[in-house]
């Protein structure tokens, strides 16, 4: 399901996509890891594959050398139905941050504590799955 600019949604802000995460997908930098987390969630929903790659830390264990294959698998995943995002916790230090969330995707709930690292900008680093 693709987002139109007038879709309300996925990051949970209640704003229309064009007034919210769209600007990040078009190049604005998120000012903290929480914004980054939300904009990555809506990037999946919007099929903004390059944004996912661009905001993954190059040293992350999840960063794949074969970018073409990686993008293919992100694209497959982005066809899921991204229903809702619940932020449960957000903790930030100088160069590292954690966001705990529940993401409702198709018929499952992903409960994860994601780690973000800051270089010049914030990047997704890795995550720990938690039981719902
Ligand atoms: Zn948003």
């Amino acid at each position: 399901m693709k987002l139109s600019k007038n879709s309300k949604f996925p990051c949970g802000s209640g704003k229309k996509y064009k007034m919210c995460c769209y600007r990040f997908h078009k190049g604005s930098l998120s000012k903290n890891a929480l914004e980054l987390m939300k904009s990555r969630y809506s990037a999946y929903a919007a099929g903004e594959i390059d944004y996912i790659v661009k905001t993954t830390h190059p040293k992350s264990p999840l960063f794949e050398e074969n970018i073409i294959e990686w993008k293919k698998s992100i694209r497959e995943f982005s066809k899921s139905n991204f229903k809702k995002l619940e932020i449960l916790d957000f903790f930030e230090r100088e160069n590292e941050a954690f966001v705990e969330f529940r993401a409702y995707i198709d018929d499952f709930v992903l409960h994860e504590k994601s780690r973000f690292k800051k270089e010049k900008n914030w990047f997704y680093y890795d995550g720990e799955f938690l039981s719902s």
Side-chain angles (χ1 to χ4, degrees):
M1 186 194 65
K2 289 292 149 271
L3 278 183
S4 87
K5 286 190 206 172
N6 286 311
S7 300
K8 262 200 193 169
F9 152 125
C11 76
S13 68
K15 293 180 192 162
K16 288 179 179 173
Y17 174 49
K18 69 178 176 187
M19 303 301 289
C20 190
C21 294
Y22 180 73
R23 70 179 189 279
F24 299 121
H25 302 159
K26 296 304 162 200
S28 295
L29 294 174
S30 39
K31 65 175 185 292
N32 59 42
L34 184 58
E35 268 187 0
L36 179 58
M37 157 65 221
K38 290 178 173 181
S39 63
R40 281 173 55 94
Y41 183 75
S42 46
Y44 279 111
E48 290 282 350
I49 312 303
D50 291 348
Y51 188 76
I52 299 297
V53 171
K54 197 178 86 174
T55 57
T56 302
H57 196 290
K59 295 205 178 100
S60 162
L62 299 161
F63 193 97
E64 295 186 22
E65 292 296 321
N66 188 334
I67 302 274
I68 293 172
E69 283 303 310
W70 186 20
K71 284 187 178 177
K72 248 189 234 168
S73 68
I74 297 170
R75 186 167 302 284
E76 270 315 298
F77 183 55
S78 77
K79 291 174 185 162
S80 315
N81 186 5
F82 292 82
K83 295 175 177 166
K84 191 167 72 152
L85 177 67
E86 277 174 8
I87 303 296
L88 304 172
D89 202 6
F90 171 48
F91 173 74
E92 185 175 64
R93 288 197 282 256
E94 202 176 335
N95 294 313
E96 190 177 50
F98 296 90
V99 180
E100 186 187 338
F101 63 89
R102 274 200 200 95
Y104 295 77
I105 302 162
D106 289 337
D107 291 330
F108 67 93
V109 180
L110 173 67
H111 184 187
E112 186 185 315
K113 186 176 176 186
S114 290
R115 176 154 55 138
F116 296 83
K117 291 193 179 201
K118 192 178 182 184
E119 304 294 336
K120 273 186 196 157
N121 318 317
W122 284 101
F123 292 91
Y124 175 65
Y125 193 80
D126 63 4
E128 176 192 347
F129 294 122
L130 304 166
S131 58
S132 306

